[in-house]
Amino acid sequence: MTKTFLSALSLAALLPLSAVADSISGTYDNTLDTLYAVSQPGSRAPDGDSYCKETFGKFVGSTVSGTYDINTTTLMMSATATFEGSEASMFPLGISGRYAFMTDGVPAPLSDMGVNRIILNLSTDFSDKESDVLFNGNADYNCLLSNRAAN
């Protein structure tokens, strides 16, 4: 019984060390140069691109920056995003094959600009960092500002 207790104690002592070793922290800074329309269900809607450019075109060329902290073993993670001078906390989305985050709402200054959500997608090797800002549009379209080409 003592041997079992000591083995469990030894294992418990090692757990925090491995959790710290698997923690990856970093930053990102993405220039948002693509603005396009999506329909209310979320599919690409090229016929709404002119609406998005008229309404939110002034944000093309702006940046989203922030931080992330990911434990690749426990998958406990957090991130932040800063857009137009306002910071927002991001929460993991639990999407397989990547590290994905999204804001749960945005601070009032961003909401006043029409921002609905900010999204961050990281490849599992952290080489690809995609940022998207979703703007509330009209009854037909929402607008997505991204550092990636429209899909």
Side-chain angles (χ1 to χ4, degrees), residues 17-101:
L17 292 176
S18 65
V20 171
D22 295 333
S23 183
I24 298 173
S25 297
T27 62
Y28 64 97
D29 188 23
N30 292 326
T31 300
L32 307 172
D33 50 14
T34 304
L35 178 65
Y36 58 95
V38 293
S39 65
Q40 292 301 341
S43 59
R44 179 79 176 87
D47 50 328
D49 286 352
S50 60
Y51 163 78
C52 290
K53 288 178 180 156
E54 285 175 27
T55 310
F56 301 107
K58 66 183 176 186
F59 296 108
V60 173
S62 59
T63 61
V64 171
S65 61
T67 62
Y68 56 86
D69 186 27
I70 300 168
N71 185 302
T72 58
T73 300
T74 65
L75 296 181
M76 296 294 293
M77 57 186 90
S78 62
T80 64
T82 300
F83 180 67
E84 294 294 308
S86 292
E87 183 177 276
S89 295
M90 302 180 86
F91 302 94
L93 294 175
I95 298 174
S96 178
R98 62 186 162 169
Y99 302 115
F101 300 88

